[in-house]
Amino acid sequence: MSAEATNPEARPDARPELRRRGRTRLDLRRLGRAALLGPTSRDRLPDAIGHVAEAHRAHHPDADLSILRRAYVLAESSHRGQMRKSGEPYITHPLAVTLILAELGAETTTLTASLLHDTVEDTEVTLDQVREEFGDEVCFIVDGVTKVEKIDYGAAAEPETFRKMLVATGNDVRVMSIKLADRLHNMRTLGVMRPDKQARIAKVTRDVLIPLAERLGVQALKTELEDLVFAILHPEEYEHTRALIAAHAGERDPLPAIAESVRVVLREAGIHAEVLVRPRHFVSVHRISRKRGELRGSDFGRLLILVGENADCYGVLGELHTCFTPVVSEFKDFIAVPKFNLYQSLHTAFATSGGHVAEVIVRTRQMHRVAEAGVVALGNPYATAAAVTATAAGAAAGSAEACADPYEERVDPTRPGWLSRLLDWQQSAPDPDTFWSVLRAELAQDREITVFRADGGTLGLPGGASCIDAAYAQHGEAAHGCIGARVNGRLTSLTSRLSDGDTVQLLLAHDASSGPSADWLEHAHTPAARIAISSWLKAHPDGAAATTTAARAPLSVVGARGGGGNAVADLPDATVRLAGCCTPVPPDAVAGFVVRGGAVTVHRVQCAAVAQMRSLGRTSVAVHWRATADCRVTLLAESFGRPHLLADLTEAIAREGVEVVSATVEPPVEQRVRHSYTLQLPDATGLPALMRAMRDVPGVYDVSRA
């Protein structure tokens, strides 16, 4: 995968300041010599992977390293004679990728597949040989990171390779872990390539792999990839940021003294914590400088506080906010509400007496491991998962050379909503260009929300998603007939945006011929919704015309109008009128107000007009109900559009012995019809039964008082 990469130590323009502090860098020349000498005796590890074994044992002391030795022997022998453009033996690349993963705490199966990740693609080794020697899991992972043949796919090879990797990642997240480490090492060693090719690879890394690293929670890889891409695509801004960091290095850093003050506070509170100063990486410094302008010393880093238990995190937070001046707007609790990429921490900031503002991250040590390594820190997430029989490996491979045996698709509790959505919509995007462009747009969404369905389930959606997106996420192509939604119990349009924690109930039309409007594309944010809507509109070029016709005037049916019904005002000879805005009926609590002409208007006390009347100084009049039980009320009915609906509703009202004073029917909008009825009831106690009878009319989904 990286035959064109080169050795960074040989580059005259190498930028060592981009290297993450504390991360071991390989001596490729030493590894090259060790690799050329070949494996050692069968009872000890080859010298070339001694550093991998050491890093692996630091996280997994009891790991069996014999499989790593066998994987290295196969990789070294199959890559023997292949060289990188830097002149180093090619085996140095899979060794470097494996070391990156070992330092993050990857388990043995991942490291084995990492050592072999280029053998099937670049050597004579076959997937059958890998499966026979190392088992189905290693075979599946190696196949997942193997590129498709460019001779077969041509210009579509790159998007189809990513599609294949993502499908494989849906069954085993370790596939993408290896791909990210592979790209990181290639980005570190990109200097030998032409500038235009460097820029092309950096753009793909920026648009696809960095967002994937963010979503999988692998911050250690994401931040370094960001810095490397920044240096290639924005060299001037990079140099400016480098100068800022260099200038800060010569100044007194206030953060160590602040960290010591925090240590004293926590020690006195009896909280055992490790307080570290965590320097910002290049892109982070660049973002802060654009946000705040001139930077101060405390802006070049943050405090990281590591504790043992979750409760200690909140104990630290309480001490910090008690002993220092907190910046309330900077507080975020990602422990109670974790991010969709497994990230958990408390974020806060406080001001010191010296005028500095220190940003603080508080987390447990386990949270820190997951924050840095993401899914890599999970080890083998499938070790105890229930298996569902499937032939996922063959489908993911997309070639006759894929692992032939059935592969068990594991139920992965760590799979977030974004990955499930991606796996769903990619099936509807057979065109590689469509898949590639939509994939970048999907990954550009940097926030995830969760909404609750009316049946108790949940939907994971990107931030900014609308009810249209929720409809297609829940109902698929059946969402073509969606005509409205209730959000948190209130009727709303399909174009309404959803917020985290909303409850959404989607209303589907019964007409099978119904379809979406072209306007929906302006409000659909998920690829699944946009692809489905576009496909329907393409298949029904005349279908959208009917939904965008000009609105007609409402149809009104008016009978004899009454006045105040059985409401009586304590004002002699005054004309009493029931307010049309709230249509009070017995036994509603009511209030009366004198309006122009001396008439008294009667409102329900909860009506918004009551507060307005009082603010205007209108005279209040006591109102009571007569002993007679008849009343007048206005009801609103929301329904799907269908033939004979008005006749059926009128018949239902008549069966209840109710007189229609007036009726207004608005023209259909997105196949929804709104009816307004002013009714004279012989007995106010019959109102609940009347509303139930109207709701029972087919197509009516809501009846409420005006």
Side-chain angles (χ1 to χ4, degrees):
M1 286 188 178
S2 58
E4 296 180 322
T6 187
N7 178 7
E9 301 301 331
R11 290 174 50 193
D13 60 337
R15 293 166 172 150
E17 63 272 18
L18 281 176
R19 300 172 183 172
R20 292 179 61 82
R21 291 176 173 83
R23 169 162 291 177
T24 305
R25 283 310 183 103
L26 295 176
D27 184 343
L28 296 184
R29 290 185 174 82
R30 180 181 66 80
L31 286 180
R33 288 193 298 272
L36 288 173
L37 291 175
T40 58
S41 62
R42 296 182 62 86
D43 58 347
R44 61 186 294 262
L45 286 170
D47 292 338
I49 58 170
H51 56 292
V52 173
E54 182 181 351
H56 186 39
R57 279 280 170 82
H59 294 278
H60 304 276
D62 300 325
D64 180 8
L65 302 180
S66 62
I67 191 173
L68 291 182
R69 185 191 68 80
R70 290 190 288 116
Y72 171 76
V73 169
L74 177 59
E76 188 278 329
S77 61
S78 60
H79 286 298
R80 189 174 296 168
Q82 294 179 352
M83 310 296 286
R84 308 187 85 208
K85 281 200 170 182
S86 61
E88 299 296 334
Y90 191 83
I91 188 63
T92 58
H93 170 68
L95 280 169
V97 173
T98 306
L99 178 61
I100 291 171
L101 292 169
E103 290 174 338
L104 291 176
E107 39 71 59
T108 309
T109 301
T110 304
L111 301 186
T112 303
S114 177
L115 283 169
L116 301 169
H117 79 271
D118 275 345
T119 54
V120 174
E121 181 180 321
D122 294 337
T123 76
E124 299 299 319
V125 175
T126 67
L127 285 170
D128 287 337
Q129 289 176 289
V130 174
R131 184 178 62 252
E132 182 179 355
E133 181 71 19
F134 300 99
D136 285 339
E137 282 195 318
V138 173
C139 172
F140 183 83
I141 297 171
V142 171
D143 182 42
V145 295
T146 299
K147 292 179 181 176
V148 300
E149 291 289 345
K150 192 166 186 178
I151 193 172
D152 296 329
Y153 288 87
E158 185 170 42
E160 289 301 329
T161 293
F162 272 99
R163 188 201 297 264
K164 174 172 174 279
M165 289 180 185
L166 288 167
V167 172
T169 299
N171 285 330
D172 197 323
V173 294
R174 293 173 292 185
V175 171
M176 192 54 64
S177 299
I178 293 175
K179 177 59 182 177
L180 292 171
D182 172 79
R183 179 54 60 95
L184 175 58
H185 184 246
N186 286 340
M187 288 295 297
R188 286 176 177 174
T189 59
L190 205 60
V192 74
M193 303 179 74
R194 300 190 312 272
D196 61 318
K197 196 162 187 179
Q198 289 186 37
R200 185 186 66 79
I201 294 174
K203 287 177 181 177
V204 174
T205 304
R206 176 196 63 193
D207 296 342
V208 178
L209 287 166
I210 288 176
L212 284 171
E214 168 72 16
R215 280 157 174 73
L216 294 174
V218 195
Q219 295 295 320
L221 303 187
K222 178 215 169 192
T223 53
E224 188 171 354
L225 284 171
E226 281 184 329
D227 284 349
L228 292 164
V229 168
F230 183 42
I232 292 172
L233 297 183
H234 305 282
E236 293 182 0
E237 295 179 356
Y238 165 80
E239 288 298 335
H240 174 70
T241 305
R242 187 191 63 78
L244 286 176
I245 294 175
H248 168 69
E251 300 175 354
R252 181 177 175 274
D253 188 350
L255 285 178
I258 297 174
E260 184 57 33
S261 300
V262 171
R263 291 187 191 100
V264 171
V265 167
L266 298 181
R267 192 182 306 121
E268 292 177 351
I271 299 176
H272 298 285
E274 184 179 1
V275 183
L276 306 172
V277 176
R278 188 179 177 91
R280 292 184 184 273
H281 64 106
F282 274 62
V283 171
S284 180
V285 171
H286 173 67
R287 289 171 181 159
I288 290 294
S289 66
R290 294 187 64 180
K291 177 181 177 181
R292 301 178 182 172
E294 184 177 354
L295 297 181
R296 296 171 295 180
S298 58
D299 292 331
F300 288 88
R302 290 180 286 193
L303 298 185
L304 174 63
I305 302 178
L306 301 178
V307 295
E309 303 292 338
N310 287 17
D312 295 335
C313 294
Y314 294 97
V316 169
L317 182 70
E319 293 298 324
L320 294 179
H321 286 192
T322 300
C323 299
F324 302 95
T325 304
V327 181
V328 179
S329 60
E330 295 293 327
F331 173 68
K332 297 180 181 67
D333 188 345
F334 294 120
I335 295 179
V337 186
K339 289 186 178 182
F340 63 92
N341 61 356
L342 309 177
Y343 180 88
Q344 287 184 286
S345 291
L346 295 178
H347 288 207
T348 189
F350 61 81
T352 67
S353 57
H356 295 288
V357 175
E359 294 185 31
V360 185
I361 300 173
V362 186
R363 58 175 69 136
T364 66
R365 290 174 177 82
Q366 174 61 19
M367 290 177 191
H368 180 61
R369 182 166 174 256
V370 174
E372 288 292 290
V375 295
V376 179
L378 298 176
N380 181 1
Y382 313 99
T384 58
V388 180
T389 301
T391 56
S399 69
E401 197 181 14
C403 298
D405 292 345
Y407 187 84
E408 291 183 335
E409 181 183 5
R410 281 77 57 94
V411 178
D412 180 11
T414 67
R415 180 188 294 184
W418 66 267
L419 182 53
S420 298
R421 288 199 313 270
L422 191 152
L423 295 175
D424 290 338
W425 69 253
Q426 66 86 23
Q427 299 177 10
S428 304
D431 176 50
D433 291 336
T434 301
F435 167 78
W436 197 230
S437 60
V438 176
L439 174 64
R440 295 186 184 206
E442 165 83 356
L443 293 176
Q445 305 284 347
D446 59 355
R447 192 168 63 89
E448 184 94 355
I449 64 172
T450 299
V451 299
F452 297 92
R453 296 172 6 186
D455 60 6
T458 61
L459 295 173
L461 297 169
S466 66
C467 294
I468 294 172
D469 299 303
Y472 282 95
Q474 181 173 349
H475 297 293
E477 292 189 356
H480 293 331
C482 197
I483 61 171
R486 290 181 181 276
V487 177
N488 301 325
R490 299 177 64 89
L491 196 65
T492 186
S493 68
L494 283 173
T495 59
S496 299
R497 287 195 173 191
L498 296 168
S499 299
D500 198 33
D502 281 347
T503 298
V504 60
Q505 177 186 3
L506 300 159
L507 308 174
L508 300 181
H510 299 287
D511 184 2
S513 63
S514 60
S517 164
D519 296 338
W520 286 18
L521 287 173
E522 298 180 10
H523 304 280
H525 292 270
T526 58
R530 296 186 61 83
I531 291 173
I533 295 167
S534 298
S535 298
W536 191 93
L537 293 174
K538 185 177 181 180
H540 303 79
D542 300 326
T547 63
T548 57
T549 54
R552 297 167 295 172
L555 171 65
S556 298
V557 180
V558 182
R561 294 182 178 273
N566 52 1
V568 178
D570 293 344
L571 188 65
D573 302 324
T575 301
V576 178
R577 297 172 182 168
L578 298 180
C581 55
C582 59
T583 58
V585 298
D588 291 341
V590 290
F593 294 91
V594 178
V595 296
R596 291 179 182 177
V600 175
T601 302
V602 180
H603 297 262
R604 281 189 282 172
V605 293
Q606 300 94 341
C607 181
V610 171
Q612 185 178 7
M613 290 285 192
R614 288 171 176 164
S615 66
L616 294 174
R618 294 290 175 87
T619 303
S620 177
V621 177
V623 180
H624 64 275
W625 299 107
R626 288 194 185 99
T628 55
D630 67 308
C631 66
R632 179 172 296 184
V633 65
T634 298
L635 298 180
L636 300 178
E638 300 276 353
S639 66
F640 305 121
R642 67 171 180 83
H644 310 298
L645 177 63
L646 180 60
D648 292 346
L649 267 171
T650 305
E651 182 181 354
I653 294 170
R655 282 200 302 266
E656 298 297 318
V658 176
E659 176 190 355
V660 178
V661 177
S662 66
T664 301
V665 182
E666 300 177 5
V669 177
E670 295 183 343
Q671 298 188 12
R672 287 186 301 162
V673 183
R674 183 183 175 93
H675 310 252
S676 177
Y677 294 93
T678 299
L679 306 171
Q680 188 73 31
L681 279 71
D683 190 339
T685 59
L687 180 59
L690 171 64
M691 296 176 69
R692 283 195 299 270
M694 294 174 66
R695 290 192 187 101
D696 289 340
V697 174
V700 176
Y701 56 83
D702 188 33
V703 176
S704 60
R705 291 181 62 181

